[in-house]
Amino acid sequence: MSNALNSPIGLGPESWAPGNKPDPLIQNSSGRIGASVSRVDGPLKVRGKATFAAEFALDGMVYAALVFSTIPKGRIAMLDTSAAEAAPGVVLVMTHLNAPRMRPMPLFGTSEKAAGVDSLPIMQDDRVHWNGQAIAVVLAETREQADHAGSLIRVTYEAEPATTSFERAKANGTDTAWLFGHELHIEIGDAEAVLAAAPMSVDAIYRTPYQNHNAIEPHATTVVWHGDELVMHDASQLVVHQAWSLAHIFGLEEEQVRVTAPYVGGAFGGKGFWSHQVLAAAAAKLAGRPVRLALSREGVYRTVGGRARTEQRVAIGASADGHFDAIIHTGTAVSSRDKASPEAFTFPTQSTYAAGSFEIDLQLAYQDMVANSTMRAPGEAVGSFALESAVDEVAVALGMDPIELRIRNEPDKDPTSGMPFSSRHLVEAWRAGAERFGWVERNPTPGAVRDGEWLVGMGCAAATHLYVRQPGGAARITMTGNGNVTVDVAAHDAGMGTATAQTQVIAERLALDPQQVSFRFADSRMPGLVAALGSSQTVTVGAAVAAAQHALVGELLKLVGPDTPLAGLTTEEVGALDGGLAKLDEPTRHQSYGSILAQAGRDEISIEASAPPPLEMMSWSMHSYGAMFCEVRVNAVTGETRVSRFLGSMDCGRVLNSKTATSQFRGGIIMGLGLALTEQTHFDERNGRIMNPSMAEYHIPVHMDVPQIDVIWTDIPDPHAPMGARGIGELSITGTGAAVANAIFNATGKRIRDLPITPDKLM
Ligand code: MOS
């Protein structure tokens, strides 16, 4: 379907500062934006033709196995690799004794392109920093030979005292957390005094456990050195950051490293830059052969950190009519030292509800463990559990409907920053969701609805996720004589549908048939510094493409001949229409892209541009929202919880592809059901060893745990965001944990403040 409309779509704004015009794509007059479009990579994937990181076959390639430490802290006293080196097929064994000299990972956030999850030395000395740290890499002709040889390595340690329990970590003292250059501490008024004087209050401690990443594709990387040039085919959500960081580590120029990640089987914040990628590159250098390093599922647990444990106090003081006078959200998250990101659970409290006073504080307690990192809606996933459980507790105490209580405390501007909201229609989401879910049928009395052995209840909670547009967006558009375009951005598609949604948006922006658009991504040699983080790729790429379109149209207008329809027009006067450009207020003055190029004698035109800075984030409080509804059945005999219905009613700006968005929302909700009911990483507190590093013992929701999940959205475009879209990838895991917990309270009368809500807590 080409754009057969007769009115051109103007170019996107050249700045996102206040006062600028909104993105013309917000109008969506063709209906293409938001359409249910199947993934462009679907056919390749189902045919097994999509090459994932562990599927690149290179000449002379060897296979790597890692050997992991079994103590949390200390030094390697003796390391005997002789039996391993003599084992069949072994090419080499790399340890700290023979590894190439490498700089530590540059820590994410410390410079523009730094990607590292921690800044510890990698196999440079005999030090052990966590239980499960790689202490040897074995390269062999087959994976089985490498694994076998790894089992022959003998090691003894001189252990040192380690902090491997949360209680000890807290007793050692905590630090106020920082993020984006700010202390995570806010005080507005004297919240403690207001709380003490409030007509009613709740004040409770909520706990959430460690969680591990379990993307369907375990982490893998295939690396080859061509002389001093390193090529890495990786499962990554930040290829440019990673190429730059590898160059830093190995003392190379950025141009000497290329990282690609054409297909990634789920990322969720876990497919960052960890030690295994550095070790694979180092071992390949040492061996002079290409290396494939694919982590086992256990290897992922040992190497890649996930969501940090938290202990949160939420206290809310309210008037008798339910207005919040004070909100206190404080507590402690576990962290390893020398690492990048705190589990910022206080985020939702900064902007979800109005209150007369606030106290918000996040402390970090340090444990000797693999660096915890970002995991889908870091901070907000577990912070919203605590906040939204506490709000439910207020509703129960006041005898108020929990939705009405929330609406009563709806803020008219950001309650802690004071900034206006860019677009916030959470109340509409509540109303629409309540209607669709049949909330009116909920019996507010806990434990009152019983169906045989099953106690039935309904609960709800708000979802919220920060809007982010990254500053490094850039894109290259290459247009050929038939009007087809290729757009290159070093962005990522880990299964979210990036390529599919961007293809729709580009086709709409340039008024092309989607078949004419080829979106290429995830190669560090492409333009842009765009990580697949923070649900921010879509708008980051969208603004970059808009900027590249400006540059492209400017060039095309220079090529038009004197007596042609577009002669003498400026970029402000034209828009995209039907495979070409037209005068905005006189669409019959139209010329196709192909004929502009042909008249100028050009086979193609290629142009690159950077997006303007994300000034919208400085001017408005920008978030995606949701109203989450859950119905549970709790077995009165076994304590088993079955989620029987779930609805997410989202307010996330313009949805670009209803099919991939629905999948994103369902995926986030399913992950939220795991957070609520089953997921927990068990550390042995004596030695810091993860005890359940497998999907047999770490329980994520399976088909039987997941009902049909319903998703709706307001579809109100955000006038200040590219395409009117805000982020969606992480939003729906937030609120879900509390919606389940609140439904369980309604079903049973039991308030569980300690995730996951396993049957033992309900018996
Ligand atoms: Mo997301 S945890 O920022 O990949």
Side-chain angles (χ1 to χ4, degrees):
M1 170 184 80
S2 68
N3 188 323
L5 304 168
N6 50 17
S7 61
I9 299 169
L11 307 191
E14 290 191 87
S15 153
W16 296 90
N20 227 275
K21 66 170 184 175
D23 189 342
L25 254 58
I26 285 175
Q27 289 164 18
N28 188 30
S29 35
S30 75
R32 176 177 291 141
I33 305 278
S36 175
V37 177
S38 295
R39 292 189 195 181
V40 294
D41 49 342
L44 273 182
K45 283 183 172 169
V46 297
R47 294 205 312 267
K49 302 246 185 232
T51 309
F52 286 78
E55 297 177 321
F56 283 84
L58 303 177
D59 287 342
M61 186 171 74
V62 289
Y63 296 79
L66 300 181
V67 179
F68 303 110
S69 76
T70 54
I71 63 160
K73 191 173 182 181
R75 52 175 293 271
I76 298 166
M78 185 282 295
L79 189 57
D80 180 359
T81 58
S82 53
E85 280 158 1
V90 170
V91 172
L92 72 79
V93 177
M94 186 176 83
T95 69
H96 68 277
L97 299 170
N98 63 342
R101 294 299 93 188
M102 299 175 272
R103 295 196 191 115
M105 287 191 181
L107 198 55
F108 185 83
T110 55
S111 77
E112 192 192 27
K113 293 183 182 176
V117 174
D118 66 44
S119 56
L120 296 166
I122 299 174
M123 212 168 268
Q124 298 296 294
D125 57 31
D126 59 4
R127 303 292 312 170
V128 173
H129 301 276
W130 75 88
N131 196 327
Q133 174 187 322
I135 54 163
V137 182
V138 181
L139 298 185
E141 300 294 343
T142 71
R143 171 66 187 263
E144 291 73 18
Q145 289 170 330
D147 283 338
H148 171 66
S151 74
L152 304 176
I153 289 176
R154 291 172 51 233
V155 57
T156 61
Y157 301 96
E158 278 173 23
E160 294 169 12
T163 304
T164 50
S165 83
F166 188 34
E167 295 311 316
R168 168 75 81 82
K170 284 188 290 181
N172 288 347
T174 60
D175 292 328
T176 304
W178 288 70
L179 195 61
F180 309 135
H182 296 285
E183 249 191 348
L184 293 174
H185 179 91
I186 296 172
E187 279 181 51
I188 298 173
D190 186 346
E192 287 287 3
V194 175
L195 179 76
M200 72 76 55
S201 63
V202 301
D203 191 344
I205 303 291
Y206 303 84
R207 294 181 173 85
T208 67
Y210 305 96
Q211 294 178 348
N212 265 89
H213 281 285
N214 282 287
I216 193 166
E217 175 206 30
H219 297 56
T221 193
T222 303
V223 296
V224 57
W225 289 84
H226 302 290
D228 281 338
E229 301 211 338
L230 171 63
V231 178
M232 173 175 283
H233 302 294
D234 200 35
S236 171
Q237 48 191 117
L238 65 185
V239 290
V240 177
H241 293 79
Q242 207 170 297
W244 183 90
S245 296
L246 283 162
H248 170 89
I249 288 167
F250 288 98
L252 303 170
E253 298 300 319
E254 187 177 8
E255 298 69 35
Q256 290 173 282
V257 182
R258 179 182 185 194
V259 177
T260 79
Y263 300 98
V264 179
F268 308 109
K271 294 270 171 70
F273 190 42
W274 298 90
S275 56
H276 69 280
Q277 292 128 320
V278 177
L279 291 171
K285 191 177 170 77
L286 204 58
R289 292 175 66 175
V291 166
R292 177 185 296 170
L293 190 160
L295 293 180
S296 63
R297 187 60 67 179
E298 179 188 350
V300 176
Y301 279 72
R302 303 281 176 236
T303 309
V304 174
R307 204 186 295 287
R309 180 174 175 173
T310 74
E311 185 175 74
Q312 308 174 46
R313 175 190 177 207
V314 180
I316 300 176
S319 61
D321 67 357
H323 283 104
F324 297 162
D325 298 324
I327 303 180
I328 296 173
H329 194 170
T330 58
T332 306
V334 170
S335 175
S336 61
R337 290 192 188 272
D338 312 302
K339 62 166 289 292
S341 56
E343 191 70 46
F345 56 71
T346 49
F347 269 172
T349 300
Q350 287 181 214
S351 61
T352 308
Y353 299 109
S357 60
F358 285 90
E359 183 182 340
I360 291 172
D361 184 71
L362 179 68
Q363 296 290 311
L364 295 182
Y366 302 102
Q367 270 182 231
D368 295 304
M369 63 178 195
V370 61
N372 61 288
S373 77
T374 49
M375 185 162 159
R376 202 174 201 166
E380 290 165 306
V382 290
S384 63
F385 163 69
L387 175 66
E388 294 295 316
S389 293
V391 171
D392 198 68
E393 297 199 42
V394 173
V396 170
L398 288 171
M400 270 186 74
D401 180 85
I403 295 176
E404 291 311 315
L405 175 65
R406 286 175 169 89
I407 291 172
R408 191 157 297 187
N409 289 286
E410 176 71 8
D412 56 11
K413 62 180 188 324
D414 188 289
T416 58
S417 74
M419 291 201 291
F421 292 115
S422 62
S423 170
R424 175 168 162 136
H425 301 278
L426 179 54
V427 173
E428 285 95 318
W430 276 120
R431 301 273 190 234
E435 168 79 22
R436 186 166 174 110
F437 199 69
W439 184 256
V440 49
E441 281 156 43
R442 172 180 181 263
N443 185 326
T445 307
V449 182
R450 193 166 178 133
D451 176 14
E453 283 182 4
W454 296 90
L455 299 164
V456 185
M458 289 189 209
C460 67
T464 172
H465 193 267
L466 202 61
Y467 167 96
V468 178
R469 182 162 69 83
Q470 300 170 56
R476 180 171 54 238
I477 302 180
T478 302
M479 178 174 273
T480 53
N482 50 13
N484 291 359
V485 296
T486 301
V487 177
D488 293 323
V489 185
H492 312 79
D493 193 342
M496 306 87 82
T498 311
T500 313
Q502 292 298 344
T503 299
Q504 288 171 265
V505 170
I506 293 162
E508 178 77 359
R509 218 180 260 298
L510 300 180
L512 293 170
D513 187 299
Q515 304 296 329
Q516 295 180 274
V517 175
S518 166
F519 182 73
R520 300 192 302 190
F521 57 94
D523 184 329
S524 62
R525 300 215 163 143
M526 292 175 177
L529 179 65
V530 183
L533 285 171
S535 302
S536 61
Q537 270 204 149
T538 301
V539 293
T540 303
V541 174
V545 170
Q549 183 199 23
H550 263 281
L552 173 75
V553 171
E555 287 304 305
L556 288 171
L557 290 176
K558 284 185 205 160
L559 297 181
V560 299
D563 295 317
T564 58
L566 302 172
L569 299 181
T570 66
T571 52
E572 286 74 46
E573 294 171 298
V574 299
L577 178 69
D578 199 14
L581 297 175
K583 188 164 190 282
L584 284 173
D585 56 6
E586 198 181 341
T588 52
R589 287 182 65 180
H590 174 271
Q591 191 172 358
S592 73
Y593 297 121
S595 79
I596 298 172
L597 289 178
Q599 280 177 1
R602 296 282 294 267
D603 293 331
E604 70 166 47
I605 183 168
S606 185
I607 199 140
E608 184 179 324
S610 296
L615 296 176
E616 70 274 25
M617 289 164 57
M618 318 296 155
S619 311
W620 292 279
S621 174
M622 299 182 75
H623 305 260
S624 285
Y625 306 97
M628 315 304 272
F629 296 83
C630 179
E631 180 190 82
V632 295
R633 298 163 65 82
V634 180
N635 191 291
V637 179
T638 65
E640 174 189 11
T641 297
R642 290 270 157 212
V643 176
S644 46
R645 290 196 297 136
F646 205 101
L647 165 68
S649 174
M650 319 313 289
D651 175 49
C652 53
R654 174 74 82 215
V655 165
L656 302 178
N657 179 331
S658 58
K659 188 173 195 171
T660 54
T662 301
S663 292
Q664 286 269 67
F665 288 137
R666 288 201 176 122
I669 290 164
I670 293 166
M671 210 163 162
L673 298 183
L675 175 142
L677 296 171
T678 61
E679 287 197 45
Q680 178 165 21
T681 305
H682 291 283
F683 279 84
D684 186 332
E685 295 208 334
R686 297 166 303 179
N687 58 20
R689 187 80 167 170
I690 292 175
M691 297 188 289
N692 56 342
S694 87
M695 292 176 75
E697 295 160 294
Y698 181 103
H699 296 149
I700 63 169
V702 298
H703 277 84
M704 258 194 74
D705 300 317
V706 182
Q708 184 63 36
I709 291 172
D710 195 11
V711 180
I712 57 176
W713 48 79
T714 57
D715 211 18
I716 301 170
D718 190 319
H720 304 299
M723 295 88 67
R726 295 190 301 264
I728 63 169
E730 300 173 85
L731 172 63
S732 65
I733 191 174
T734 76
T736 293
V740 174
N742 296 341
I744 288 173
F745 176 80
N746 181 244
T748 66
K750 289 183 179 151
R751 177 67 64 184
I752 310 300
R753 303 186 182 92
D754 182 10
L755 295 183
I757 307 175
T758 43
D760 52 298
K761 295 172 186 170
L762 292 170
M763 302 253 289

